[in-house]
């Protein structure tokens, strides 16, 4: 059975595989390692550029697409009938949760302003102090999956109050439905976006959503850029009423002349939340486990259904 993976180092991270599994490295979709007709299990590159999904048309024997990303929006409805799409749910929990906590703390404690002052060699105490603090804040996490729970676990020691929101309510575990957002948002000091990009979530953060957030609130987007309407976000941020910490944008990469760059109340990072040194070992442990399940005829984990 032929398998394509995107990293040469991944071979040693997969663990023991059945002897009939042939693993080849496809790091560059423009340079195929062998005849694509025999590939049954494909692991595309992580955050790959270009139309990598176009390669699907050249893989007639494909049975499994195992992503290294938690989001599957670029692949939904592109994987051919008969093939199973799986995401990397769980792989990015710790890294993305760390980014969210870092972004919240950096904003509330004024680190971006202090970094700008450092670049000017300006001891700007009177400009930045006193800063805000995380203790006592009301944090709404929109997306109560594994990453949302990881964020909650890491923020719990900071003495915050949580509201968790998912696609549908889960009354027994304290999770609200997305239809309750109009009444929940006015009580949120920090709103963290962790939902997948689907037809239902595209543009979810619109003018009405932002208007419902209280003055001075912070929007944190670690999901996908199109979950928020950029024009609405820019308009609110320009007034200074709301603040934002964004790891993802729409468009992405963000053009150099985009107004988001100029807003002092917006913290921008270049889609790095999941890009950490521990990514590949965690990712290939999942890939190896999935391969062994597939060869043994066992059900695969993290199967994408309805965009999730």
């Amino acid at each position: 059975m032929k398998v394509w993976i995107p990293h040469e180092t991944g071979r040693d991270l997969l663990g023991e595989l059945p002897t009939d599994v042939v693993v080849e490295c496809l790091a560059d979709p423009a340079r195929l390692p062998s005849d694509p007709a025999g590939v049954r299990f494909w692991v595309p590159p992580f955050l790959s550029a270009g139309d990598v999904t176009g390669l699907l048309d050249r893989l007639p024997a494909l049975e499994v697409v195992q992503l290294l990303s938690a989001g599957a929006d670029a692949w939904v409805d592109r994987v051919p009938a008969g093939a199973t799409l799986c995401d990397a749910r769980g792989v990015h929990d710790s890294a993305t949760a760390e980014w969210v906590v870092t972004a919240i703390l950096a904003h509330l404690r004024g680190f971006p302003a202090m970094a700008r002052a450092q670049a000017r060699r300006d001891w700007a105490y009177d400009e930045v102090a006193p800063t805000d603090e995380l203790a006592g804040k009301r944090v709404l996490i929109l997306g109560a999956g594994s990453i949302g729970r990881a964020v909650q676990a890491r923020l719990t020691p900071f003495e915050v109050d949580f509201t968790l929101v998912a696609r549908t309510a889960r009354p027994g575990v304290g999770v609200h439905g997305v239809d309750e957002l109009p009444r929940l948002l006015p009580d949120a000091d920090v709103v963290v976006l962790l939902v997948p990009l689907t037809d239902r979530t595209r543009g979810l953060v619109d003018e009405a959503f932002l208007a419902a957030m209280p003055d001075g609130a912070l929007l944190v987007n670690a999901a996908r850029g199109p979950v928020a309407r950029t024009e609405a976000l820019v308009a609110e941020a320009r007034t200074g009423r709301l603040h934002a910490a964004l790891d993802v944008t729409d468009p992405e990469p963000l053009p150099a002349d985009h107004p988001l760059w100029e807003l002092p109340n917006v913290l921008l990072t270049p889609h790095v939340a999941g890009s950490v040194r521990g990514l590949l070992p965690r990712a290939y442990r999942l890939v190896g486990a999935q391969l062994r399940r597939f060869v043994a005829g066992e059900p695969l984990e993290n199967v994408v259904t309805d965009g999730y």
Side-chain angles (χ1 to χ4, degrees):
M1 186 188 79
K2 188 188 294 187
V3 178
W4 279 357
I5 62 173
H7 304 91
E8 191 63 43
T9 56
R11 295 178 187 270
D12 296 329
L13 299 172
L14 289 170
E16 186 175 352
L17 298 175
T19 55
D20 62 340
V21 174
V22 177
V23 178
E24 298 178 344
C25 180
L26 173 64
D28 180 359
R31 302 175 61 185
L32 304 185
S34 65
D35 184 357
V39 177
R40 295 175 59 193
F41 193 111
W42 180 33
V43 183
F46 177 60
L47 296 180
S48 52
D51 183 22
V52 178
T53 60
L55 190 56
L56 290 168
D57 296 334
R58 303 178 62 185
L59 303 172
L62 189 65
E63 296 181 58
V64 178
V65 177
Q66 172 62 59
L67 304 179
L68 298 182
S69 60
D73 47 280
W75 298 87
V76 172
D77 298 328
R78 297 293 304 273
V79 174
T84 301
L85 176 64
C86 301
D87 63 25
R89 185 172 65 250
V91 167
H92 301 280
D93 292 2
S94 61
T96 303
E98 284 181 3
W99 181 90
V100 169
V101 173
T102 301
I104 293 172
L105 286 170
H107 171 77
L108 293 177
R109 297 307 306 267
F111 276 31
M114 286 186 265
R116 291 190 290 267
Q118 180 180 356
R120 302 191 305 266
R121 303 192 180 201
D122 179 9
W123 191 262
Y125 179 89
D126 292 337
E127 174 188 338
V128 300
T131 71
D132 203 344
E133 60 183 331
L134 181 52
K137 288 291 187 288
R138 300 163 298 178
V139 178
L140 185 152
I141 300 174
L142 180 51
S146 61
I147 296 179
R149 292 295 188 181
V151 170
Q152 182 184 25
R154 285 157 178 77
L155 285 177
T156 295
F158 288 94
E159 304 170 21
V160 302
D161 294 320
F162 293 104
T163 300
L164 270 63
V165 180
R167 177 173 41 170
T168 55
R170 306 172 203 162
V173 293
V175 177
H176 299 269
V178 71
D179 59 307
E180 300 178 67
L181 282 173
R183 72 172 182 83
L184 296 174
L185 287 170
D187 292 325
D189 300 304
V190 179
V191 175
V192 181
L193 306 178
L194 293 168
V195 293
L197 179 61
T198 68
D199 291 340
R200 296 177 181 177
T201 63
R202 186 179 296 273
L204 175 64
V205 181
D206 57 9
E207 291 83 356
F209 184 109
L210 295 170
M213 293 173 61
D215 292 354
L218 171 66
L219 179 75
V220 181
N221 193 354
R224 287 290 186 267
V227 169
R229 292 186 179 174
T230 303
E231 296 79 4
L233 181 56
V234 170
E236 280 283 8
R238 272 179 168 159
T239 69
R241 194 183 75 82
L242 297 181
H243 308 269
L246 311 174
D247 189 48
V248 290
T249 59
D250 182 25
E252 187 177 307
L254 198 65
D257 61 351
H258 199 281
L260 279 174
W261 290 113
E262 303 171 358
L263 299 174
N265 53 336
V266 175
L267 171 64
L268 290 169
T269 60
H271 204 153
V272 296
S275 298
V276 295
R277 292 188 177 94
L279 167 62
L280 292 187
R282 285 194 293 271
Y284 279 101
R285 279 197 295 271
L286 170 64
V287 174
Q290 292 281 73
L291 270 170
R292 288 184 284 275
R293 292 186 190 100
F294 178 64
V295 172
E298 299 172 355
L300 298 173
E301 294 188 351
N302 294 5
V303 175
V304 176
T305 303
D306 195 23
Y308 290 75

